[in-house]
Amino acid sequence: MSTKNIMIVGVGGQGTLLASRILGNAVIRKGYDVKVSEVHGMSQRGGSVVTYVKFGDAVHSPIIDKGEADIILAFECLEAYRALPWLKKGGKMIVNNQQINPMPVITGAADYPADILGKLGAAVDLTAVDALALAREAGNAKAVNVVLIGVMAKNTEIPYEEWIETIKTTVPPKFLDANLKAFDLGYHL
């Protein structure tokens, strides 16, 4: 298998790191070589968080360069827009339609860009999802990450049951039921 490059972007507290662990563990179960690299901005204060997940027969570096991501999984609109240069031609972007104001917008020093989803949809293969609503339906608003993993998982060669087993072994038990439901809602969207 050729190397697959998936970039996960969001802001601190959205669960990008758990999402990368679920994805990494799922592809390990399939026997692939996996490399994961996490880049934290001011994640403790709601800043950007980027995770690279690369997998295939042999992966030598965890870093994804601009124009190399097969999939960008974005937990927030502005983070999706910022990540656009990393998406390869013909790649896919899955975006939670939520908007979280960064500090310059909160302080009034900048405006949140208008119509990000419209701009992205005109430029790339885009799937926009109200993952927050689906996470709430699953019983935990913080399960946005697992909803998005579910949406992405539908487009992989990994069977549904293997994703479920991976979630069971990766997510803490007290959050398991809501996360399994969140995954199912995303997968069957």
Side-chain angles (χ1 to χ4, degrees):
M1 160 185 215
S2 64
T3 300
K4 297 289 182 196
N5 301 306
I6 300 176
M7 188 172 168
I8 302 172
V9 299
V11 297
Q14 284 193 292
T16 57
L17 304 181
L18 176 60
S20 67
R21 281 194 295 274
I22 291 170
L23 174 57
N25 289 342
V27 295
I28 285 172
R29 290 173 63 95
K30 290 296 286 179
Y32 295 121
D33 185 21
V34 180
K35 300 287 187 283
V36 177
S37 176
E38 301 164 355
V39 179
H40 304 266
M42 292 290 287
S43 59
Q44 293 291 328
R45 304 202 185 281
S48 295
V49 178
V50 177
T51 304
Y52 304 118
V53 180
K54 292 178 78 167
F55 61 94
D57 291 332
V59 178
H60 304 290
S61 168
I63 303 301
I64 298 172
D65 289 324
K66 288 183 178 179
E68 288 187 350
D70 296 290
I71 298 172
I72 294 178
L73 195 61
F75 293 16
E76 193 274 338
C77 292
L78 185 56
E79 295 304 319
Y81 198 55
R82 288 178 180 160
L84 184 59
W86 277 263
L87 189 66
K88 76 178 192 181
K89 187 175 176 108
K92 181 161 187 61
M93 188 174 272
I94 301 167
V95 181
N96 176 22
N97 68 5
Q98 187 176 6
Q99 295 182 6
I100 299 174
N101 290 337
M103 194 54 65
V105 173
I106 292 170
T107 63
D111 293 323
Y112 195 97
D115 193 28
I116 289 175
L117 292 176
K119 292 171 187 171
L120 291 173
V124 301
D125 179 0
L126 174 71
T127 300
V129 179
D130 188 347
L132 181 58
L134 292 173
R136 286 180 175 144
E137 183 180 334
N140 185 346
K142 292 188 177 246
V144 164
N145 55 350
V146 182
V147 169
L148 292 170
I149 287 287
V151 174
M152 184 201 68
K154 182 75 173 181
N155 299 298
T156 69
E157 64 184 54
I158 300 171
Y160 175 85
E161 296 77 22
E162 289 188 34
W163 284 103
I164 294 298
E165 289 306 311
T166 300
I167 291 168
K168 286 178 179 178
T169 60
T170 307
V171 172
K174 68 180 180 177
F175 302 115
L176 185 57
D177 289 341
N179 279 278
L180 288 171
K181 186 170 183 184
F183 177 83
D184 190 65
L185 289 169
Y187 191 89
H188 291 103
L189 184 67

